Amino acid sequence: MSPTNSPLKSKMIATWLAFLGGSVGAHRFYLHGSRDVWAWLHGVPTAIGLLGVWRMAHLGQDDQLAWLLIPLLGLMLSGTQLLAILYGLMPDERWDARFNGGRKGPPAGWLTVLGVVLSLLIGAGILMSTLAFGMLRSAEYSLENKNGN
């Protein structure tokens, strides 16, 4: 299907897909289709990060591999929240030129703004938590090695 015959892409839907399902590539599947390699690859770091969460839940806080894997999940989640913000704040003309082949797409509306606000709140919280977790574990690890434990 040529770009002029393809369905118009909604900025609001792309924003919400990035917000709710961005870590598994839902927004990329919507915008670029099922042949998009990057959409399929979004799930890999998410799954690896979830493995870290599982390891910490089952093996405890001393599992150093979990320390490395969990921040990957946090970075993936906060990165897709950033994409939701970028999609929602992109000017309509630029959105239409990039994703609708220059045709005028549906208006964004207040649901898009709500998606941006929620993405900002949740994404910032996830990013701060990920950084705090990583720095805490790094400090604990260096203190353990310094003390010879």
Side-chain angles (χ1 to χ4, degrees), residues 6-91:
S6 64
L8 294 173
K9 304 295 184 191
S10 166
K11 184 164 54 165
M12 185 265 301
I13 292 174
T15 300
W16 279 94
L17 285 174
F19 173 64
L20 296 173
S23 62
V24 292
H27 61 292
R28 291 204 55 101
F29 285 118
Y30 173 69
L31 294 172
H32 304 288
S34 63
R35 294 181 182 222
D36 182 40
V37 175
W38 291 110
W40 290 103
L41 291 177
H42 267 68
V44 174
T46 301
I48 292 170
L50 287 171
L51 174 65
V53 172
W54 181 87
R55 286 182 62 96
M56 186 165 287
H58 288 83
L59 302 175
Q61 293 185 4
D62 292 333
D63 182 35
Q64 293 179 359
L65 182 58
W67 295 2
L68 295 173
L69 300 180
I70 290 174
L72 189 59
L73 176 64
L75 291 174
M76 193 66 193
L77 291 172
S78 59
T80 56
Q81 298 306 303
L82 176 62
L83 279 174
I85 294 167
L86 292 175
Y87 288 158
L89 295 179
M90 186 181 292

Side-chain angles (χ1 to χ4, degrees), residues 1-11 13-14 29-33 95-106:
M1 194 172 349
S2 70
T4 56
N5 293 335
S6 64
L8 294 173
K9 304 295 184 191
S10 166
K11 184 164 54 165
I13 292 174
F29 285 118
Y30 173 69
L31 294 172
H32 304 288
W95 175 267
D96 291 334
R98 183 167 181 189
F99 296 110
N100 290 325
R103 297 175 298 153
K104 185 160 178 55

Side-chain angles (χ1 to χ4, degrees), residues 16 18-21 73-82 84-85 114-130:
W16 279 94
F19 173 64
L20 296 173
L73 176 64
L75 291 174
M76 193 66 193
L77 291 172
S78 59
T80 56
Q81 298 306 303
L82 176 62
I85 294 167
L114 179 62
V116 168
V117 169
L118 290 174
S119 294
L120 180 60
L121 291 172
I122 292 173
I126 291 171
L127 183 59
M128 288 187 294
S129 299
T130 301

